[in-house]
């Protein structure tokens, strides 16, 4: 873990250096990018990208795609007076999903050309993550649910002997379905990103869940990238030194959410 942290802090510092290189020096003119207004045939509630395409979802269960940076939009799915689609994501070029009110989940396995509806009950889906058409996690206002059969059943995520952790960390900050066996949820004590966190992790397709804590670290993001869990935040080092410790940037990755 320590070697991973060292390597990833180095990567983070390189990225920061590249970012700083693009910041104009004092007195140097900075041109503002051009922003244009474009019409989308529904009220947009979420956006994402897949390759070179932009995707949007929103009211009337609508989903649209733009292949020219948002200048023009092609409607791919819409149901008049339908539910709200609050999120839309793609796992790869072919598979994507959108979710929202009424427990509605739409999935595509052909790059968004067609979308198939599924139901996860009747509660609003606030967050969703799928690794493939069969395996996924969702957060409703009341609970966390997962599926390993394409949404036919939705068991409740259980912390088992660590059930009290759900009371200590009641806010779901981010959730990631990594593959058929691995899923994880980053929980926070409060709704702000600086709140302490704990992870609820499964490595057996949801049969069992365990709590994982990373000491001295506060994480601000948790996501899936190239088949691996990634998290970025700060770590307090040298806490035992006179005057206390200090925070440094940290980037972590894991293939199983445990190590």
């Amino acid at each position: 873990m320590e070697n991973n942290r060292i390597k990833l802090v180095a990567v983070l510092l390189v990225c920061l250096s590249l970012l700083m290189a693009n910041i104009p020096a004092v007195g140097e003119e900075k041109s503002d990018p051009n922003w244009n207004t474009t019409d989308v045939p529904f009220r947009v509630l979420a956006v994402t990208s897949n390759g070179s395409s932009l995707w949007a979802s929103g009211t009337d269960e609508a989903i649209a795609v733009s292949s020219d940076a948002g200048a023009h939009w092609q409607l791919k799915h819409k149901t008049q007076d339908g539910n709200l689609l609050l999120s839309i994501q793609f796992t790869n070029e072919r598979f994507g999903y959108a979710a929202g009110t009424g427990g509605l989940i739409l999935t595509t396995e052909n790059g968004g050309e067609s979308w198939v509806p599924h139901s996860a009950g009747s509660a609003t889906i606030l967050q969703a993550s799928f690794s493939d058409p069969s395996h996924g996690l969702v957060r409703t206002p009341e609970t966390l649910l997962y599926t390993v059969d394409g949404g036919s059943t939705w068991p409740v995520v259980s912390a088992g002997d660590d059930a009290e952790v759900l009371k200590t960390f009641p806010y779901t900050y981010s959730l990631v379905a990594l593959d058929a066996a691995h899923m994880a949820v980053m929980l926070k004590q409060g709704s702000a990103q600086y709140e302490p966190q704990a992870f609820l992790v499964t490595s057996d397709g949801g049969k069992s869940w365990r709590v994982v804590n990373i000491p001295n670290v506060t994480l601000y993001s948790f996501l899936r990238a190239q088949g691996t869990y990634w998290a970025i935040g700060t770590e307090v080092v040298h806490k035992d030194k006179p005057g206390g410790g200090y925070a440094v940037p940290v980037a972590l990755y894991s293939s199983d959410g445990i190590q």
Side-chain angles (χ1 to χ4, degrees):
M1 177 66 77
E2 187 63 29
N3 289 335
N4 290 343
R5 291 178 179 174
I6 293 172
K7 293 178 182 178
L8 289 169
V9 168
V11 172
L12 189 62
L13 292 176
V14 170
C15 293
L16 181 60
S17 299
L18 293 173
L19 177 63
M20 295 298 292
N22 291 320
I23 298 177
V26 175
E28 181 181 345
E29 289 189 7
K30 180 181 179 182
S31 60
D32 293 329
N34 294 321
W35 289 87
N36 300 311
T37 301
T38 185
D39 291 328
V40 181
F42 56 90
R43 182 184 175 189
V44 175
L45 301 176
V47 294
T48 191
S49 63
N50 188 31
S52 60
S53 298
L54 295 175
W55 289 84
S57 66
T59 55
D60 291 332
E61 296 175 20
I63 296 175
V65 61
S66 172
S67 57
D68 56 8
H72 303 89
W73 292 86
Q74 181 182 4
L75 195 64
K76 291 295 185 179
H77 182 88
K78 186 176 182 180
T79 300
Q80 190 64 36
D81 298 324
N83 291 304
L84 308 178
L85 292 178
L86 305 177
S87 64
I88 182 170
Q89 294 291 333
F90 281 83
T91 300
N92 52 48
E93 291 184 358
R94 303 290 295 174
F95 176 67
Y97 53 93
T101 58
L104 176 66
I105 299 173
L106 297 176
T107 61
T108 179
E109 296 184 54
N110 55 12
E113 288 301 313
S114 60
W115 294 81
V116 178
H118 309 270
S119 176
S122 59
T124 296
I125 299 174
L126 302 175
Q127 296 168 277
S129 178
F130 281 77
S131 62
D132 55 61
S134 296
H135 300 85
L137 271 168
V138 301
R139 175 68 182 184
T140 72
E142 300 298 329
T143 190
L144 284 160
L145 306 169
Y146 71 96
T147 184
V148 295
D149 54 16
S152 296
T153 58
W154 288 93
V156 175
V157 173
S158 173
D161 294 338
D162 296 313
E164 286 298 314
V165 74
L166 299 181
K167 297 179 181 179
T168 306
F169 298 91
Y171 292 89
T172 299
Y173 193 79
S174 183
L175 43 80
V176 174
L178 194 62
D179 54 40
H182 299 91
M183 292 179 275
V185 184
M186 186 166 79
L187 305 170
K188 289 275 189 177
Q189 285 188 358
S191 58
Q193 66 175 11
Y194 56 77
E195 294 280 356
Q197 77 281 320
F199 288 93
L200 200 54
V201 177
T202 180
S203 56
D204 56 12
K207 295 177 183 177
S208 62
W209 296 79
R210 61 179 291 184
V211 175
V212 175
N213 284 291
I214 305 175
N216 305 322
V217 169
T218 301
L219 298 173
Y220 308 138
S221 66
F222 177 55
L223 49 85
R224 173 187 57 226
Q226 298 181 339
T228 305
Y229 295 119
W230 282 83
I232 297 174
T234 56
E235 179 179 13
V236 177
V237 298
H238 302 311
K239 291 177 65 176
D240 56 340
K241 296 293 180 66
Y246 56 91
V248 298
V250 63
L252 307 174
Y253 70 91
S254 173
S255 60
D256 60 10
I258 299 172
Q259 298 181 348

